[in-house]
Amino acid sequence: MNLDLRIPMGLMFLIVGGIMSVFGFFTRGSVIYERSVGMNINLIWGLVMLAFGLVMFLLGRASDKRAAAEPIEGTNRPLGGHGHGMGH
Amino acid sequence: MNLTFIDWLIMLLYFAFVLGIGFALKRFMRTSKDFFQAGRSLPAWICGLAFISANLGAQEVIGMGASGAKYGIATSHFYWIGAIPAMIFVGVFMMPFYYGSKARSVPEFLRLRFDEKTRAYNACSFAVMTVFSSGISMYAMARLIQTLHVFDSAFLKFNLPLGWIFHFAIIISALIVLGYIFLGGLTSAIYNEVLQFFLIVAGFLPLVWVGLKNVGGWSGLKAALPVAYTHSWRGMTNAHNNPLGVEWFGLSMGLGFVLSFGYWCTDFLVIQTAMATDSEESARRVPLIAAIPKMFFPFLVILPGLIAIATPAITQHAMLRSAPGLNTPAVPPAANDLSDPTKYSKGLIPAKVNPVTGKVMTDEHGKPLLDYDLAIPNMLLHYFPTGILGLGLTALLASFMSGMAGNVTAFNTVWTYDLYQSYIHKNASDTHYLKMGRWATVGGILLSMATAYAVTSFNNIMDTLQLVFSFVNAPLFATFLLGMFWKRTTGHAAFTGLVSGTVAAVIHHGLTLPADAHPGIHGGWIAVVHTYPSEMAQNFWTAIWAFSTNFILTVVISLMTKPRPESELVGLVYSLTPKPVEHHMAWYARPKVIAVGLIALLIALNLTFR
């Protein structure tokens, strides 16, 4: 398959993490953080997600560039017997 | 619930990505193999995460949290005993036959190994179960959206009746799942399952973190809860001494062997993800990779249940109000004790309220019942401020969809290959089957919707369906075990054994009853000859009886019928198949080495939380 999942997944975490950290940054010290035991969980977790998204995105991009992957199929041992059951 | 713009934005972004992945994959769907088997080209780690995510449906996230709140850390047996050993077994021993036989589905493997009737029986029962399970997932999701009032403010804003929220939730989830599977087939389902996996981790990890911090860490949690809650093996020598009401033998044989191996080693819902990898080596690694996060999932989904009990409740939560616009008149004024649900809640777990009378529901001894299913949703509402609340809710919705999607792709494959191509329209072009797969997806979703509505109109249908599934699934593993590891097993024997195993499960259920239950849906509808301490014990023993009946009958009938020539069974039976070559792999990448490491980790976890 030619689409490396890490690219869209990385992008999604980058965007969501970005939104959460920006929102967290502008709501520092807000009363909404009484719920999360005083931690600015939006900022902290937003940054964690941002970092995860970035790593995924970069890994996906790197492997996309090396995309000379030859499609291998089958097994590493002889397939025995009959070949029925394959409809095409 | 008060969702703000930021929560909605996160939710919408997620759905945009889910559908976007479907669109991006559309152009790769050229043959039926691309659509149904992801072209057999995906990397092992992706399929490994999809392997556990396909199982992460409603039952998992909500159910395990509920069970954590009800029984404590003993719930982790469903992972450590009830999943990991089976996942190791399927990866090391069984995957070479599934992948190497070139079967395209589990029922097709049964045809290669046994005969047409065994396949037809398995394919039909499996197809029916997948659409029902997906429908139950859909129903549970719509109910949860309704209970949490997710869409209420949006509906009020646009002047829409609140009674439509249920229909809206059903339709929107159906459209999204349909959209991405129709476009990108199994690849799309697997990709989205992986996305959902990471989202669930991203949404629940901070929940556990904040929750634990609030109750004073693990030691604080231990201090706040009864001692049985934080020990998984205490009192397991006798069924009456532990909250699960099962003893170690029933637990390890019933759950750990029969039920767990029957599910993880034979259910095409999970096996399909392993069969989508690029090689047999990868396919064997899939369940082993999946076992690593699976082992730690109790900390993500069960622990919130424990924290919910230990959290001092200060605010009354949204869901204590019954959903407006539904068959729910306003709560009548306090007439007696039972009309004040807040009195009976435990931590964040509210008392169960009868939607008609507004009174707290009680068991036979007059003890109030708690609504444990709200453990996880209430945790989200209690600990998450706006922003991350959107993420947590999205994770919850994602878990429902991944359960639904796995069922739908399993259904479209089994329908198209095992039923349509085999019995309705043989020898059509590949394009025809690809088209059929797409329409089977539409059909599967429509049937799921019908199930979801059937569940709303008939009270008992969900319990009944789950009961029927358990009858059909319980004996399955004996058939696969004998088929793969005993070359003498014959098709007639497998078929008879399978059917008799199910009959044995039905009879056992009809003759036994859990303590405190009345004869009927819970058992004992023939006569009560034995009483189990809990429903769980009854389930486990039903499975043990079904398995043993199937096993014994299959062996006996095999010995009386004519075996197939050995030459036909190469690649399908262990003793007649060349062993997979492993010496070219690095030592740490060999399935057996990974398996030993996993077992060591498993033992360590059980000792830590004994």
Side-chain angles (χ1 to χ4, degrees):
Chain A
M1 209 58 56
N2 295 328
L3 174 73
D4 192 313
L5 171 65
R6 285 170 294 187
I7 296 175
M9 189 163 77
L11 270 178
M12 191 188 100
F13 274 86
L14 274 174
I15 299 175
V16 172
I19 293 173
M20 277 168 57
S21 15
V22 169
F23 180 71
F25 184 80
F26 286 108
T27 50
R28 275 168 303 164
S30 155
V31 286
I32 60 169
Y33 296 114
E34 271 171 23
R35 279 171 183 277
S36 51
V37 213
M39 283 194 285
N40 188 332
I41 193 80
N42 280 330
L43 182 60
I44 304 170
W45 203 249
L47 290 174
V48 172
M49 287 178 67
L50 209 57
F52 174 78
L54 191 68
V55 171
M56 278 289 156
F57 183 73
L58 292 178
L59 282 175
R61 275 277 295 275
S63 89
D64 232 21
K65 281 183 184 154
R66 280 185 274 109
E70 65 261 60
I72 321 151
E73 202 193 299
T75 68
N76 58 343
R77 61 174 172 73
L79 179 79
H82 45 86
H84 62 253
M86 305 303 293
H88 50 99
Chain B
M1 165 185 309
N2 285 320
L3 289 180
T4 60
F5 170 73
I6 203 105
D7 301 311
W8 288 112
L9 188 65
I10 293 172
M11 220 181 277
L12 284 178
L13 260 169
Y14 168 71
F15 291 127
F17 268 92
V18 163
L19 288 173
I21 288 177
F23 274 105
L25 288 170
K26 186 173 177 255
R27 63 198 162 103
F28 301 118
M29 298 296 125
R30 287 185 217 101
T31 64
S32 68
K33 188 177 172 183
D34 295 329
F35 188 80
F36 294 115
Q37 300 179 281
R40 283 205 159 182
S41 63
L42 299 182
W45 72 271
I46 290 200
C47 296
L49 296 180
F51 191 89
I52 48 170
S53 200
N55 165 258
L56 261 182
Q59 180 210 356
E60 181 104 353
V61 175
I62 301 285
M64 288 295 147
S67 181
K70 199 170 173 186
Y71 303 116
I73 204 83
T75 306
S76 59
H77 288 313
F78 284 95
Y79 292 76
W80 297 339
I81 304 291
I84 309 291
M87 289 163 88
I88 295 174
F89 187 82
V90 70
V92 173
F93 295 107
M94 291 173 75
M95 208 47 88
F97 306 111
Y98 283 136
Y99 197 95
S101 69
K102 296 274 170 198
R104 297 166 301 179
S105 67
V106 168
E108 190 162 273
F109 173 81
L110 285 179
R111 184 176 80 85
L112 296 177
R113 175 61 186 88
F114 297 118
D115 52 19
E116 204 63 73
K117 60 180 178 300
T118 314
R119 184 256 284 271
Y121 175 69
N122 183 253
C124 292
S125 58
F126 183 77
V128 171
M129 283 192 290
T130 48
V131 287
F132 282 151
S133 314
S134 142
I136 290 176
S137 246
M138 202 181 257
Y139 165 80
M141 177 174 169
R143 278 310 290 221
L144 188 77
I145 287 178
Q146 211 177 25
T147 325
L148 294 180
H149 308 290
V150 179
F151 292 136
D152 286 24
S153 50
F155 267 63
L156 289 173
K157 203 169 171 185
F158 294 107
N159 263 329
L160 294 165
L162 293 176
W164 288 5
I165 291 180
F166 184 84
H167 313 298
F168 178 73
I170 294 265
I171 289 168
I172 201 91
S173 63
L175 282 179
I176 291 170
V177 174
L178 173 69
Y180 72 76
I181 298 178
F182 191 88
L183 291 165
L186 181 63
T187 318
S188 191
I190 287 182
Y191 275 18
N192 278 309
E193 276 160 4
V194 176
L195 194 66
Q196 284 147 4
F197 169 84
F198 282 109
L199 199 70
I200 289 163
V201 175
F204 282 52
L205 207 56
L207 185 66
V208 173
W209 182 32
V210 176
L212 267 184
K213 203 170 169 199
N214 185 45
V215 297
W218 177 246
S219 52
L221 186 65
K222 258 173 118 167
L225 292 171
V227 88
Y229 262 78
T230 46
H231 293 273
S232 58
W233 283 101
R234 188 163 290 216
M236 275 297 164
T237 46
N238 187 312
H240 298 278
N241 287 348
N242 65 75
L244 298 180
V246 219
E247 79 299 337
W248 67 271
F249 182 79
L251 183 77
S252 47
M253 278 306 288
L255 173 68
F257 184 62
V258 179
L259 287 175
S260 143
F261 281 66
Y263 179 76
W264 293 100
C265 304
T266 70
D267 200 313
F268 186 53
L269 172 71
V270 288
I271 303 292
Q272 64 176 347
T273 62
M275 286 165 83
T277 49
D278 51 12
S279 66
E280 186 182 306
E281 272 169 34
S282 302
R284 294 182 71 197
R285 239 175 262 141
V286 164
L288 301 175
I289 293 173
I292 303 168
K294 184 80 184 169
M295 216 180 287
F296 294 99
F297 250 73
F299 302 112
L300 220 51
V301 295
I302 298 176
L303 214 48
L306 274 79
I307 300 172
I309 289 281
T311 303
I314 33 169
T315 46
Q316 188 179 335
H317 288 279
M319 57 283 309
L320 287 178
R321 285 187 288 124
S322 35
L326 272 162
N327 46 2
T328 51
V331 178
N336 60 38
D337 264 345
L338 289 177
S339 54
D340 182 12
T342 48
K343 264 190 201 157
Y344 296 95
S345 59
K346 201 165 152 194
L348 299 180
I349 316 282
K352 234 182 201 163
V353 177
N354 184 325
V356 181
T357 60
K359 285 186 185 167
V360 173
M361 291 159 75
T362 56
D363 64 5
E364 275 133 57
H365 311 294
K367 270 195 355 205
L369 294 169
L370 294 178
D371 201 347
Y372 290 106
D373 280 349
L374 289 175
I376 295 243
N378 269 357
M379 281 286 286
L380 290 175
L381 293 184
H382 183 82
Y383 283 116
F384 277 179
T386 184
I388 199 164
L389 181 61
L391 180 72
L393 267 182
T394 311
L396 205 55
L397 299 186
S399 77
F400 285 97
M401 287 200 197
S402 69
M404 233 186 287
N407 276 303
V408 172
T409 53
F411 171 80
N412 68 22
T413 310
V414 168
W415 163 259
T416 308
Y417 283 156
D418 290 299
L419 297 171
Y420 183 76
Q421 187 181 32
S422 307
Y423 307 117
I424 299 171
H425 193 165
K426 281 182 197 165
N427 306 323
S429 68
D430 188 62
T431 330
H432 179 79
Y433 294 124
L434 174 62
K435 212 184 260 169
M436 179 36 92
R438 289 219 156 100
W439 289 110
T441 311
V442 178
I445 297 266
L446 286 175
L447 286 170
S448 309
M449 289 173 73
T451 309
Y453 277 103
V455 173
T456 47
S457 11
F458 304 99
N459 242 339
N460 270 335
I461 203 164
M462 201 145 111
D463 295 337
T464 315
L465 284 177
Q466 269 152 356
L467 196 63
V468 173
F469 297 171
S470 72
F471 294 155
V472 176
N473 280 333
L476 259 184
F477 185 61
T479 305
F480 284 84
L481 191 68
L482 287 168
M484 284 182 180
F485 298 95
W486 192 42
K487 63 184 180 191
R488 189 68 182 69
T489 321
T490 65
H492 293 315
F495 181 76
T496 324
L498 207 51
V499 176
S500 328
T502 299
V503 174
V506 176
I507 294 175
H508 179 267
H509 184 261
L511 291 175
T512 59
L513 195 67
D516 293 343
H518 300 293
I521 181 108
H522 298 292
W525 39 267
I526 303 174
V528 183
V529 294
H530 184 76
T531 310
Y532 286 107
S534 69
E535 195 162 356
M536 209 181 281
Q538 186 199 25
N539 284 341
F540 293 170
W541 281 99
T542 302
I544 294 173
W545 277 94
F547 175 89
S548 314
T549 308
N550 183 3
F551 192 91
I552 294 166
L553 274 178
T554 307
V555 170
V556 172
I557 298 170
S558 285
L559 292 172
M560 298 190 309
T561 42
K562 190 171 151 283
R564 271 173 77 180
E566 293 193 356
S567 59
E568 284 180 15
L569 296 175
V570 178
L572 300 168
V573 176
Y574 190 75
S575 61
L576 301 173
T577 306
K579 300 290 162 290
V581 184
E582 284 184 13
H583 49 248
H584 64 284
M585 292 184 227
W587 66 270
Y588 55 82
R590 292 179 193 164
K592 279 178 192 143
V593 176
I594 305 177
V596 172
L598 286 170
I599 293 169
L601 203 57
L602 185 64
I603 295 173
L605 276 172
N606 272 293
L607 287 177
T608 314
F609 294 96
R610 67 183 182 280

